């Protein structure tokens, strides 16, 4: 009975702990997005590399926002997704509510004061979730990545591809001019080689017949 009275309160404390841990984890991604050009975050490296490779291979990405969200939702660290701490916090808070209801029904008047304390901790947990706003911070990070890909990196890749195409066109025109200049000499040399080879073959046949 003594341990059970504090068990629901402990559940709400764990729920706030996981909520805070999730916010700190996502805030690291948000901080990395502030300096996305000097990226050192593993997830950002994957997103930028995949986006760059698709652009160079002319594989169009129609919806950049979905592209970014897919990578964010699929990213794991130690087997945990960005949504895992929030889900654990919600599970602990739900367990606290269930334990509070069970204690109130089972121990009636002797449990009311502990039930009030549990309800107070539940309210604190709800206010704490609104204060840290894990989903809002993740949304901000996603928007920053999408904005960088669409409005900065894409234009850089397009200009870089245009410069490469211009350089390739210039080199091909230079090579064609070189081929045109050298073609008459090569043709005369080839004719001489063919004539000499024909004379050699004709002489060998004559020697064989004789």
């Amino acid at each position: 009975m003594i341990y059970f009275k504090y068990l629901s309160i402990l559940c709400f404390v764990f729920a706030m702990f996981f909520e805070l841990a999730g916010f700190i984890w996502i805030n690291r991604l948000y901080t990395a997005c502030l300096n996305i050009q000097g990226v050192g975050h593993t997830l950002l490296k994957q997103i930028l590399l995949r986006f760059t490779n698709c652009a160079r291979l002319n594989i169009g990405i129609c919806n950049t926002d979905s592209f970014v969200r897919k990578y964010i939702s699929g990213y794991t660290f130690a087997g945990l997704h960005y949504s895992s701490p929030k889900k654990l916090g919600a599970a602990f808070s739900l367990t606290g509510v269930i334990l509070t209801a069970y204690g109130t029904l089972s121990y009636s008047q002797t449990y009311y004061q502990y039930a009030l304390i549990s309800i107070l901790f539940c309210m604190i947990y709800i206010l704490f979730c609104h204060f840290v706003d894990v989903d809002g911070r993740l949304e901000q990070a996603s928007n920053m990545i999408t904005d960088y890909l669409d409005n900065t990196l894409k234009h850089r890749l397009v200009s870089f591809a245009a410069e490469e195409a211009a350089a390739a066109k210039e080199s091909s025109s230079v090579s064609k001019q070189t081929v045109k200049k050298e073609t008459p000499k090569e043709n005369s040399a080839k004719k001489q080689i063919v004539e000499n080879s024909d004379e050699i073959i004709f002489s060998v046949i004559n020697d064989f017949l004789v």
Side-chain angles (χ1 to χ4, degrees):
M1 172 69 178
I2 297 176
Y3 296 105
F4 183 79
K5 290 178 178 179
Y6 299 102
L7 191 59
S8 60
I9 299 173
L10 188 62
C11 286
F12 289 115
V13 172
F14 275 115
M16 286 187 283
F17 169 77
F18 282 112
E19 193 76 19
L20 180 61
F23 177 78
I24 294 173
W25 188 19
I26 293 173
N27 195 59
R28 289 185 59 192
L29 175 64
Y30 175 80
T31 305
C33 292
L34 295 175
N35 186 25
I36 195 169
Q37 293 180 350
V39 58
H41 197 281
T42 305
L43 175 60
L44 293 180
K45 285 182 178 179
Q46 293 176 359
I47 293 174
L48 295 180
L49 181 62
R50 180 62 183 275
F51 189 86
T52 303
N53 290 337
C54 289
R56 290 180 176 176
L57 295 174
N58 293 323
I59 302 175
I61 297 175
C62 300
N63 193 333
T64 309
D65 183 62
S66 299
F67 172 80
V68 173
R69 291 179 185 275
K70 176 185 175 182
Y71 268 86
I72 291 177
S73 62
Y75 178 72
T76 58
F77 178 77
L80 296 174
H81 296 272
Y82 277 120
S83 59
S84 298
K86 188 175 182 65
K87 290 180 179 178
L88 289 172
F92 272 103
S93 65
L94 180 61
T95 304
V97 171
I98 293 173
L99 291 176
T100 302
Y102 176 77
T104 303
L105 294 174
S106 299
Y107 301 105
S108 64
Q109 295 180 354
T110 60
Y111 195 81
Y112 281 149
Q113 57 179 346
Y114 299 100
L116 292 175
I117 296 174
S118 297
I119 293 172
L120 178 62
F121 269 87
C122 182
M123 294 174 63
I124 293 173
Y125 167 72
I126 294 172
L127 293 174
F128 184 78
C129 290
H130 285 287
F131 177 74
V132 295
D133 194 12
V134 174
D135 293 331
R137 185 50 59 94
L138 188 61
E139 183 75 16
Q140 290 175 348
S142 177
N143 291 336
M144 291 173 67
I145 298 171
T146 304
D147 176 69
Y148 177 78
L149 294 180
D150 279 340
N151 300 321
T152 303
L153 184 60
K154 183 180 290 185
H155 296 298
R156 289 181 180 176
L157 293 173
V158 168
S159 60
F160 181 74
E163 291 177 358
E164 283 187 338
K169 186 176 181 180
E170 185 178 355
S171 62
S172 63
S173 63
V174 172
S175 62
K176 286 180 180 178
Q177 292 176 0
T178 305
V179 169
K180 287 180 181 179
K181 291 180 180 178
E182 293 180 354
T183 300
K185 294 182 180 179
E186 290 181 352
N187 289 335
S188 61
K190 288 180 180 180
K191 288 180 180 179
Q192 291 179 358
I193 292 172
V194 171
E195 291 177 355
N196 293 332
S197 61
D198 290 340
E199 291 178 357
I200 293 170
I201 294 171
F202 184 73
S203 64
V204 170
I205 292 173
N206 286 332
D207 291 338
F208 179 76
L209 292 174
V210 172

